[in-house]
Amino acid sequence: MTEPQAKRLTPNEWEKLRQKRPSDSSTSRSNARGNDSTPAHVANQEPRTPYQKDLDRLLYNYYTRRLARVTQVTTVASRSGGDNGDAYRLTHNRLTHSLKVGQVARRTAQYLHVGPSAENNKSGIGAAGGVDFDVAEFAGRAHDIGHPPFGHAGEQALNNLARKWGLTDGFEGNAQTFRILTQLTLKGLKTDISTHESTREAIESDFPRGLDLTYASLASVVKYPWGFDQRPCSNPNDKQDPTPTSKFGFYDVDSISFDKYVRPLLYVEGLGTLEAQIMDWADDVSYAVHDVEDFALQGKIPIHTVSSKSASQFLTEARNQLEKQKEKQRAAFDTDSIINKFTGYIDTFFSVPLGQSEFDYCRMSQFISTVITAASRGTSVSHDGKLTVTPHARGLITIIQHLTKYYVIDQPGMHAQQEGDKRILSAVTSELKRIASEAYNERPTRMSCVLPQPLCESVENAIKQYRETTVPSLREKQDQERIELGIKRGVIDYVASLTEDDVFNLYRLYGLSAQ
């Protein structure tokens, strides 16, 4: 568990800490040029805030771009190897989802400042060290860059393999996001690249690895501020169930980065920064509405049938979901009023079935806008800096999320697709691990001869990190064991960075069978 701030910081102290970057403690050329690679004479005219720089760095990054070819709910890749048109249907992928989460997070942060509870929010925002609109948007855009191919099905497959291989903390998409931002990318070089003197040694010794983001931006993506071994109970209100949550924010090998860059900004035990909390809520809101948008317009969710005039099985299950939520959160709210609010929206926007006309798309767009506004405005900040969501807003989003689960996710066709995706991803990952291990054990330099360069560099980076780590639980292991862990983590890092098309291509290239 994280510990809260030992002393209350002043607003200026908070902001100075939030704007700090990993490179600020480096002896590299950042000391002479500022916190990025911009020459000093240009940096003095820099119009961007530190947080706007972070947004730009994230946008111009491969890990962001690849999200366009990663599943949100249905696979975006072409399984047949040819383009039959189905692969490019305009349903949401992880990139469009992330862009929308960023937008909702930014608007939510703005409502906290100018909405109906703005005056009451001031003390809580101050206790949290402030909230920045650009950081909130950054959190939304960045929160899913650690998601592997095939979404949650891929996450399960990689976690199972990692645990089987002896990586005790397995694979977790949120922890992978933090790892990408702090370890798997590189922002700066010591030498002037125009002289072509940049070497591997310069890359390794100059800048801290990662995008060299502000502490505030790094902390904003950590909505689970604990490691695998510090996970809290999944239901803290149930004293009879000590089962830990499956979610955590960083791997053991990355705990040093968490302690340096994130822990100093935490102010309530077991709770992320205010921007991280906003991002978490914006994520729930965004995927709820755009998943319904995708599948209702495809005809898979008969949204017009769940109006106040019907007594559908869906509404019965939705009511059960709200009752479970009430019991879990030990909250007092009127289930009927939430159901009535939801069906009121349905009656207003979907009194007749959806088609493919401009009018139908307009109805869906207005429904989404109404829901997002209600969910964003249904937030406030408690005096100690916790984001609070009204029961009506949370209940409304719970029902809308359940639409997709009921009509799409909990269906045999989706289960079959996910099982197939997991087997293919497992086969590819296992084969790459076999090849990488054999090449390294035969001769470390041989890896560059048999592995694609990105995979080779990924494995080399992970081996170096595990061998040089100061994490006590890893330092006590023998050097050879740390090397083996590095190979496995490096392979998983690489696979998690692929698009779904990449996975299918590797599957065919190696002639694999998904057994």
Side-chain angles (χ1 to χ4, degrees), residues 343-358:
T343 55
Y345 285 154
I346 301 302
D347 292 342
T348 299
F349 297 107
F350 307 114
S351 57
V352 296
L354 279 170
Q356 298 293 318
S357 70
E358 290 182 348

Side-chain angles (χ1 to χ4, degrees), residues 281-409:
W281 175 236
D283 186 23
D284 286 347
V285 174
S286 299
Y287 81 73
V289 294
H290 64 53
D291 285 355
V292 167
E293 177 184 15
D294 286 346
F295 296 113
L297 289 170
Q298 290 178 21
K300 295 180 180 179
I301 296 178
I303 195 167
H304 63 285
T305 67
V306 293
S307 70
S308 60
K309 304 177 183 62
S310 68
S312 67
Q313 179 63 32
F314 168 78
L315 287 178
T316 300
E317 290 213 11
R319 185 180 300 277
N320 292 338
Q321 289 294 317
L322 290 178
E323 291 299 327
K324 290 179 181 178
Q325 181 175 304
K326 181 189 296 187
E327 181 180 355
K328 182 177 180 179
Q329 298 176 351
R330 297 185 177 179
F333 55 81
D334 185 354
T335 299
D336 287 336
S337 66
I338 297 174
I339 293 284
N340 291 338
K341 174 66 74 172
F342 167 73
T343 55
Y345 285 154
I346 301 302
D347 292 342
T348 299
F349 297 107
F350 307 114
S351 57
V352 296
L354 279 170
Q356 298 293 318
S357 70
E358 290 182 348
F359 175 67
D360 294 314
Y361 279 91
C362 185
R363 285 195 288 154
M364 178 59 72
S365 178
Q366 289 183 341
F367 167 71
I368 290 172
S369 178
T370 301
V371 170
I372 289 177
T373 299
S376 300
R377 294 177 68 88
T379 58
S380 59
V381 184
S382 64
H383 68 90
D384 55 354
K386 295 179 182 178
L387 184 73
T388 301
V389 180
T390 64
H392 270 72
R394 193 172 295 279
L396 176 64
I397 296 304
T398 296
I399 297 175
I400 296 174
Q401 288 172 342
H402 195 63
L403 275 170
T404 301
K405 188 174 188 298
Y406 182 84
Y407 286 107
V408 180
I409 296 176

